[in-house]
Amino acid sequence: MGRKLQAIRGMNDILPGQSSVWQYLEKTVAEVVNSYGYQQIRFPIVEHTELFKRGVGETTDIVEKEMYTFDDRNGESLTLRPEGTASCVRAADQAGLLFNQTQRLWYVGPMFRYERPQKGRYRQFHQIGVESFGMATPDIDAELIILSARLWKKLGLLQHVELQLNTIGVASAREAFKAALVEYLSDFKDQLDEDSRRRLVTNPLRILDSKDQSTQSVLANAPSLEDFIDEESQTHFERLKAILDANDVPYVINRNLVRGLDYYGKTVFEWVTTHLGAQATVCAGGRYDGLVEQLGGRTTPAVGFAMGIERLVLLLETLDLVPESAKDATDVFVVSLGDAAELKSFVVAEQLRDMNIGWSVLRQCGGGSFKKQMKKADNSGARFTLIIGEDEVATGVCQVKDMQTGEQESCGLQEIASYLQAKFDENLGLNL
Ligand code: ATP
Ligand code: MG
């Protein structure tokens, strides 16, 4: 026997049992985004490396050290997408969907970053992204945030996440702030952590993000971004807050929130939780009016966000918020004894599936003794088991066992579907 191969570090299999939680989350997201008129877009997992260098920014953590980049057989540099926004812009613009139009788009899929794997941080992870194009006014920023709040509400997460909000101004405001920040911090270089010292040259705004104690104490007296925000961004921010207030969406202003990607300007926001340790952000986004142009398109305002599926799944599981109905479960298990009954059991199982009401019907395959089959029925967690033997075929009647009460009743094979339907309805009534 050969040596067993393992998955790549930081890249996980989603196993049965877990996949139902993923489906529940993805289905809920699809319902919510549809209810706001967002349409799904799908784009490739691999793009030209250039797209992310230009789109995400050369001096960001992602491009500097996290991308999976390789040459294909033609010697062309390709990269596994580390995020979706740049690809979404590339795809939408390539199809002529952006200039002079409005678009509301969303996507879901795997992203790849070479990071240190830990709880809530993986090398292949999954994001759901929601992006809007062609709208410069703060009402669309608000719509996206309200949409995400609706999603948390639907998932039972609303009281477990906090919305952090900031404005980082237009590019010229950030440039002026950066210059002032660098000038101030240069005098305290030796008190900064290593990352921040490097960022002083490459990406000074990110220093505000530093978790390092010493860096944070130096920052306490640093110039404040708030004082550099331009009037247009300030007005935009005030209107956004007013719309959130009117919709009862609570937020906290976090003046140090800057986001790690270069394309953001004006609004930035994150939904954070206290339940996931250091990997606290479950959803993050903001406005990126400059990106389309930066990628070669015509100037198009845009705002969007992305959420991490793994972190949301962890959160739902940690808080025990996955509804029973979302978990994989067998409704009806069909047991048969003998060749004629086996043929009949196929017909009955198909009839139940024909009902098309979402029952999960499991037929015992491979035969076995009655005892063994009933044990499998038990293990399946089925609500009802149909028992079809030679006698039942001859009389046209089968046995239905209620697996919760252990009671067994006979039922005509013709009536089995309506019989079970009534039983399930009855049960539903009891549970409500
Ligand atoms: P972080 O600060 O946690 O590294 P980020 O700013 O790099 O996050 P974004 O690029 O904004 O994250 O991605 C949006 C969301 O995707 C994050 O808020 C998080 O929920 C999720 N995410 C990002 N990187 C990972 C990862 N390596 N593993 C799992 N989820 C991730
Ligand atoms: Mg990151």
Side-chain angles (χ1 to χ4, degrees), residues 32-264:
V32 171
V33 293
N34 280 335
S35 74
Y36 288 79
Y38 285 71
Q39 294 175 294
Q40 194 183 35
I41 181 166
R42 304 186 186 205
F43 37 79
I45 285 171
V46 190
E47 297 274 356
H48 294 295
T49 301
E50 180 71 12
L51 175 68
F52 303 112
K53 283 197 173 169
R54 267 209 271 161
V56 178
E58 295 262 11
T59 62
T60 58
D61 281 356
I62 293 180
V63 173
E64 270 185 349
K65 52 187 190 194
E66 295 175 358
M67 293 206 306
Y68 279 88
T69 298
F70 60 96
D71 286 349
D72 75 357
R73 288 175 191 275
N74 256 336
E76 223 181 325
S77 181
L78 305 181
T79 293
L80 300 186
R81 61 185 188 195
E83 57 105 53
T85 305
S87 309
C88 183
V89 168
R90 199 270 310 135
D93 194 43
Q94 187 176 329
L97 299 179
L98 296 186
F99 184 64
N100 252 344
Q101 298 160 73
T102 60
Q103 294 290 346
R104 288 174 164 87
L105 304 174
W106 73 283
Y107 55 82
V108 51
M111 306 293 162
F112 303 84
R113 296 184 195 176
Y114 195 80
E115 303 198 69
R116 194 169 68 77
Q118 52 198 291
K119 185 182 166 198
R121 191 177 295 285
Y122 312 101
R123 289 181 174 174
Q124 173 171 331
F125 64 100
H126 298 74
Q127 283 184 340
I128 295 169
V130 186
E131 319 277 3
S132 70
F133 297 96
M135 294 163 275
T137 43
D139 50 349
I140 185 69
D141 310 37
E143 176 181 291
L144 283 162
I145 291 173
I146 292 167
L147 178 159
S148 53
R150 175 179 290 274
L151 176 65
W152 311 141
K153 197 168 171 188
K154 212 164 176 172
L155 293 168
L157 287 175
L158 193 56
Q159 68 266 45
H160 303 287
V161 288
E162 177 183 89
L163 174 61
Q164 300 195 352
L165 201 59
N166 195 17
T167 179
I168 58 174
V170 296
S172 56
R174 285 194 302 284
E175 286 313 316
F177 170 67
K178 270 187 216 171
L181 184 68
V182 170
E183 194 189 315
Y184 166 83
L185 288 176
S186 299
D187 292 342
F188 302 95
K189 238 183 192 160
D190 48 343
Q191 292 173 45
L192 299 178
D193 61 286
E194 198 188 314
D195 264 349
S196 297
R197 266 203 301 273
R198 189 170 46 85
R199 285 177 175 147
L200 207 49
V201 187
T202 59
N203 199 348
L205 266 190
R206 276 309 294 280
I207 299 175
L208 301 187
D209 237 7
S210 171
K211 304 273 183 293
D212 183 76
Q213 281 291 322
S214 165
T215 302
Q216 276 304 331
S217 55
V218 172
L219 283 172
N221 297 313
S224 158
L225 173 57
E226 197 182 350
D227 299 331
F228 289 78
I229 299 301
D230 51 288
E231 205 180 314
E232 183 194 331
S233 297
Q234 196 54 47
T235 311
H236 187 99
F237 197 48
E238 292 308 322
R239 183 64 188 160
L240 167 61
K241 287 189 290 180
I243 301 174
L244 294 180
D245 290 339
N247 282 279
D248 293 323
V249 177
Y251 51 83
V252 295
I253 305 296
N254 175 357
R255 291 294 178 190
N256 284 338
L257 186 64
V258 287
R259 310 283 304 114
L261 297 88
D262 269 359
Y263 47 62
Y264 289 110

Side-chain angles (χ1 to χ4, degrees), residues 109 157 186 273 350 370 388 394 401 410:
L157 287 175
S186 299
T273 174
E350 287 305 313
F370 179 67
I388 309 174
K401 182 172 179 186
S410 340

